[in-house]
Amino acid sequence: MKIAVVGGGSTYTPELVSGLAGERERLDVSELVLQDIDPERLEVVGGLAGRMLERDGFSGALTLTDDLDRALDGADFVLVQIRVGGQQARLSDETVPLACGCVGQETTGAGGLAKALRTVPVVLSIADRARELAADGAWIVDFTNPVGIVTRALLDAGHRAIGLCNVAIGFERTAARLLGVKPQRLVIDQVGLNHLTWVRAVVLDGKDVLPELIANHGEELAGSSHLSREALEELGAVPSYYLRYFYAHDAVLAEQRRGVPRAAEVAEIERGLLELYRDPELAEKPALLEQRGGAYYSEAAVGLIASLVAGNGEVHEVDLRNDGTLQGLADDDVVEVPARVFPNRIEPLEQAPLAPELLGLVQHVAAYERLAAAAAVSGDRELVYKALLAHPLVGQVPPVEELTEQLLAADREHLPQFESPEAVA
């Protein structure tokens, strides 16, 4: 089996590499290819990856390349983890909306739209080459944010793709620790859209123990959600930490205006990580990587691949077509739900209808995601305007008009689809 990682120079890559050893029995990987357009980062990250694989007794080949076609050729799985525009573009996503009185965040709201506009066309071009060069039946596993919108665009274009996020597995590990059980005994019923999900049940050996968790550990769960314990008790569910941008909008906006952008913090963490990765004695992922985000990415990604190869219905939290899974959403919407994964087959777990207070927000954001994906592909400025108007974190005409112009201007070098024929000429 050949696995290609597009964006292999990411500081996340050691997370992925560390997961391969744990699935060696189910995954016979003959070649792992790390591809990146930044040769320096690829050399540094690839060096650590090589040492980690050697330590773990990896018998396959590790290939480092900047050649996308070389990476995709014959690949059985293509993992996409890219950041178009790097941390500088992320900084723009997090700061431009603030001047308009809107939350600045790289995966939701105005910042999330900006990221989608510059990311979707690049991922689609990668997928198109994979369609020509990868093995028959190859899977594209997208970890590139905004995962829901990117996955929707891939599926709209007819690619065999699935989206992956690490929020659910992170909650699973927290719940397992609080309950004193192994994570494998739990099924986390986390539902909604990517970065807009609620845990509605935690099933332990067939019994929902979420009420017990909230009663006994409500303060810790509330802290991880950045919300109050009372909010969890009222909802009877645990919102993902991304819901704070909606449920505590004004407080978050005030905090962002006076604080240091997360992009600046991440850039500093990445500098530190790359320096650590250069150490020829280092052969394991450093503790600093935990501060980068993406915890348990290795287990989520490699576990999903293993289930698609040799699974027996293990439950994974994935992004896929709704197809009737959540009532009140269109069949072609992309939802994030737990699903049983078999070789070449994915079956979402049956879901009860969303409560009105959840469904209303999900429908609102699903409409935005539909418009955002269409705008990213078409280069239609009017769709950018409508997407911003549809998003509940923006939704007012004056900031929408201003943001439409500012976002397109800030990312102009990454948005060729928005250039007029006259400008191209």
Side-chain angles (χ1 to χ4, degrees):
M1 179 193 308
K2 176 178 177 178
I3 298 176
V5 182
V6 180
S10 167
T11 53
Y12 278 134
T13 296
E15 270 282 353
L16 174 64
V17 170
S18 71
L20 288 174
E23 290 287 0
R24 214 172 331 192
E25 291 186 7
R26 293 197 294 173
L27 288 180
D28 181 16
V29 180
S30 58
E31 184 180 13
L32 174 65
V33 183
L34 305 182
Q35 183 274 341
D36 205 283
I37 60 174
D38 186 327
E40 182 180 358
R41 286 181 67 113
L42 183 61
E43 180 182 4
V44 172
V45 174
L48 174 57
R51 296 190 296 273
M52 292 175 67
L53 292 170
E54 182 179 8
R55 180 201 62 181
D56 292 334
F58 178 65
S59 59
L62 172 66
T63 302
L64 310 180
T65 182
D66 62 356
D67 186 338
L68 179 64
D69 286 1
R70 166 69 182 85
L72 298 177
D73 187 29
D76 299 283
F77 287 89
V78 179
L79 277 61
V80 184
Q81 53 174 36
I82 64 173
R83 180 178 292 279
V84 179
Q87 293 298 330
Q88 190 59 41
R90 175 176 181 165
L91 183 63
S92 174
D93 297 342
E94 294 179 353
T95 54
V96 169
L98 298 181
C100 299
C102 298
V103 163
Q105 212 281 327
E106 64 155 348
T107 63
T108 190
L113 176 60
K115 185 169 189 180
L117 295 178
R118 63 177 182 269
T119 301
V120 164
V122 177
V123 174
L124 287 178
S125 69
I126 293 168
D128 287 343
R129 291 302 291 162
R131 179 181 277 153
E132 296 179 20
L133 298 171
D136 291 342
W139 280 95
I140 296 173
V141 181
D142 179 65
F143 196 69
T144 297
N145 282 318
V147 168
I149 296 172
V150 173
T151 303
R152 182 186 188 109
L154 285 166
L155 294 173
D156 286 348
H159 295 290
R160 195 183 200 203
I162 189 166
L164 181 66
C165 182
N166 68 318
V167 172
I169 193 172
F171 185 91
E172 175 194 80
R173 299 311 161 89
T174 296
R177 174 177 56 81
L178 295 174
L179 293 166
V181 302
K182 293 183 178 180
Q184 293 78 8
R185 292 177 61 190
L186 299 178
V187 173
I188 306 300
D189 187 38
Q190 177 178 296
V191 300
L193 308 176
N194 179 244
H195 289 185
L196 193 81
T197 52
W198 296 261
V199 174
R200 299 193 297 175
V202 175
V203 180
L204 172 62
D205 300 335
K207 178 188 176 184
D208 180 15
V209 296
L210 182 58
E212 172 189 329
L213 267 174
I214 293 177
N216 296 334
H217 304 283
E219 291 299 333
E220 182 170 346
L221 295 176
S224 63
S225 299
H226 300 277
L227 298 168
S228 68
R229 176 178 183 146
E230 290 74 19
L232 272 60
E233 292 172 344
E234 287 287 346
L235 288 169
V238 180
S240 82
Y241 45 83
Y242 288 96
L243 264 298
R244 71 190 183 106
Y245 297 108
F246 299 84
Y247 290 160
H249 175 276
D250 292 354
V252 170
L253 180 59
E255 175 188 313
Q256 289 183 335
R257 281 176 158 170
R258 64 174 179 266
V260 176
R262 173 64 176 163
E265 296 177 353
V266 169
E268 188 61 32
I269 292 170
E270 287 206 328
R271 280 190 286 270
L273 284 171
L274 291 171
E275 191 59 37
L276 290 173
Y277 292 177
R278 288 186 174 92
D279 181 357
E281 300 301 315
L282 184 68
E284 61 183 3
K285 60 181 183 179
L288 181 61
L289 187 54
E290 296 176 8
Q291 299 180 33
R292 174 65 183 84
Y296 307 113
Y297 165 40
S298 60
E299 294 169 63
V302 177
L304 175 60
I305 293 172
S307 291
L308 287 168
V309 171
N312 191 30
E314 298 90 350
V315 176
H316 297 269
E317 185 81 8
V318 292
D319 290 78
L320 74 178
R321 289 288 196 206
N322 182 43
D323 285 333
T325 302
L326 292 180
Q327 295 180 26
L329 296 179
D331 284 346
D332 67 339
D333 284 332
V334 167
V335 296
E336 188 168 289
V337 295
R340 296 198 179 279
V341 180
F342 303 86
N344 301 315
R345 189 170 93 253
I346 302 173
E347 299 177 354
L349 299 187
E350 186 174 346
Q351 293 294 332
L354 291 170
E357 63 273 16
L358 310 186
L359 179 60
L361 185 53
V362 169
Q363 289 174 323
H364 207 159
V365 177
Y368 150 77
E369 291 193 347
R370 180 182 297 274
L371 290 163
V377 171
S378 67
D380 187 334
R381 180 192 173 283
E382 184 176 334
L383 288 176
V384 175
Y385 180 97
K386 289 179 178 178
L388 289 168
L389 197 60
H391 202 293
L393 293 181
V394 188
Q396 298 183 71
V397 169
V400 164
E401 291 177 339
E402 186 174 352
L403 278 169
T404 298
E405 299 303 327
Q406 291 192 2
L407 295 179
L408 294 179
D411 271 346
R412 181 172 287 114
E413 65 178 303
H414 302 297
L415 301 175
Q417 71 271 39
F418 286 93
E419 293 184 5
S420 68
E422 293 78 13
V424 174

